């Protein structure tokens, strides 16, 4: 599975959009981009995934560049409860097991 | 029911003890996972079971012994652990194959302390 690069930390004001970048320049054609987050002392939580089109669900939006070498997770109106470590992961869809976490981005939402 | 339940939440054991961590899911998932997470580090994959068979062992020491007695249960048997094995142990499940987005559902973890 391809490696990802994320900034170690970011701040965001409450109520504003949080834009979390991820670089995955070695992504293969059959690899998807997945985002998970881990709130302190809890298990990781799935947020969203995509292949090449932009995706949106009730939690977030995922914007993938046309060359698929990078993506951005957008939390449209960040709240204090969105403070967490966010992991960007690329993996072959349905590839049982090989969900490998990188270092992630610690997002701090501030009042 | 979209929960993965792990017990116990906290466990303290000596280096000569034998203990087990348990994980249960009732989502009909046929893939189950154990991850280990040290403080301020990302989760590290340990084992994967697919259709109750061990499919991935990430070179985990034999003092950790996984078991999948049926499609809903996953155990991790612990024996002769070292203090450096103290960590949060996370269980997860997913539906393998073309049955959905393939996301993993994680439990809250079992925090293990080895004295």
């Amino acid at each position: 599975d391809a490696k990802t690069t994320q900034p170690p930390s970011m701040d965001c004001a409450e109520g504003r959009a949080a834009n979390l970048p991820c670089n995955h320049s070695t992504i293969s054609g059959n690899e998807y981009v997945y985002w998970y987050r881990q709130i302190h002392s809890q298990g990781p939580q799935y947020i969203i995934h995509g292949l090449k089109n932009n995706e949106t669900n009730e939690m977030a939006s995922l914007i993938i560049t046309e060359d698929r070498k990078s993506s951005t997770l957008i939390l449209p109106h960040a709240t204090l409860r969105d403070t967490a470590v966010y992991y960007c992961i690329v993996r072959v869809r349905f590839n049982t097991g090989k969900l490998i976490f990188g270092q992630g981005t610690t997002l701090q939402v501030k009042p | 029911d979209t929960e993965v339940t792990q017990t116990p939440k906290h466990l303290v054991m000596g280096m000569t003890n034998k203990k087990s961590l348990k994980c249960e899911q009732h989502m009909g998932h046929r893939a189950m996972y154990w991850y280990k997470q040290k403080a301020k580090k990302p989760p590290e994959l340990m084992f994967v079971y697919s259709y109750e068979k061990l499919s991935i062992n990430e070179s985990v020491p034999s003092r950790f012994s996984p078991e999948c007695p049926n499609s809903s249960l996953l155990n991790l048997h612990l024996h002769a652990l070292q203090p450096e094995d103290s960590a949060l142990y996370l269980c997860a499940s997913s539906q393998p194959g073309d049955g959905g987005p393939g996301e993993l559902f994680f439990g809250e973890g079992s925090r293990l302390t080895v004295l």
Side-chain angles (χ1 to χ4, degrees):
Chain A
D1 292 327
K3 281 188 150 181
T4 62
T5 303
Q6 299 177 252
S9 64
M10 294 182 65
D11 290 342
C12 177
E14 190 178 18
R16 304 296 293 268
N19 297 289
L20 292 94
C22 180
N23 183 289
H24 32 79
S25 58
T26 60
I27 193 170
S28 301
N30 63 346
E31 287 181 317
Y32 286 66
V33 180
Y34 285 79
W35 284 83
Y36 284 74
R37 74 178 182 184
Q38 188 173 23
I39 296 169
H40 182 62
S41 296
Q42 297 183 20
Q45 176 190 25
Y46 164 81
I47 301 172
I48 198 167
H49 79 286
L51 182 62
K52 53 183 177 182
N53 297 321
N54 297 339
E55 301 289 344
T56 295
N57 63 19
E58 64 278 4
M59 289 182 68
S61 294
L62 175 59
I63 309 297
I64 302 174
T65 58
E66 195 166 337
D67 63 7
R68 303 210 320 124
K69 293 185 177 183
S70 65
S71 61
T72 301
L73 178 75
I74 300 172
L75 308 178
H77 305 286
T79 71
L80 298 179
R81 287 177 295 181
D82 293 320
T83 293
V85 180
Y86 287 77
Y87 295 101
C88 168
I89 302 164
V90 293
R91 70 189 282 244
V92 176
R93 189 174 171 179
F94 313 130
N95 178 19
T96 302
K98 287 291 187 180
L99 190 78
I100 305 298
F101 289 83
Q103 296 304 308
T105 296
T106 299
L107 175 68
Q108 182 74 46
V109 180
K110 299 186 173 181
Chain B
D1 185 357
T2 57
E3 281 192 351
V4 175
T5 304
Q6 292 188 242
T7 55
K9 292 194 185 316
H10 299 275
L11 179 63
V12 179
M13 60 186 290
M15 290 189 285
T16 58
N17 292 158
K18 284 185 181 181
K19 297 285 186 183
S20 297
L21 305 180
K22 298 184 186 301
C23 175
E24 189 169 7
Q25 58 88 14
H26 295 288
M27 294 177 278
H29 291 168
R30 301 304 297 275
M32 296 187 77
Y33 313 73
W34 281 114
Y35 281 82
K36 173 183 176 179
Q37 186 173 27
K38 302 281 278 182
K40 299 190 186 302
K41 297 291 186 182
E44 295 176 29
L45 182 64
M46 299 175 72
F47 302 104
V48 181
Y49 274 82
S50 180
Y51 296 95
E52 295 87 67
K53 289 190 182 345
L54 183 64
S55 59
I56 294 176
N57 177 341
E58 291 286 279
S59 302
V60 179
S62 60
R63 57 186 184 268
F64 296 92
S65 176
E67 178 196 21
C68 190
N70 61 55
S71 60
S72 300
L73 293 174
L74 184 67
N75 298 320
L76 186 63
H77 302 299
L78 314 171
H79 174 55
L81 294 193
Q82 304 296 312
E84 58 264 29
D85 296 322
S86 298
L88 181 69
Y89 289 84
L90 293 160
C91 173
S93 70
S94 73
Q95 188 63 282
D98 193 7
E103 77 269 33
L104 272 64
F105 291 79
F106 283 84
E108 295 301 303
S110 293
R111 188 163 298 281
L112 174 67
T113 302
V114 182
L115 300 177

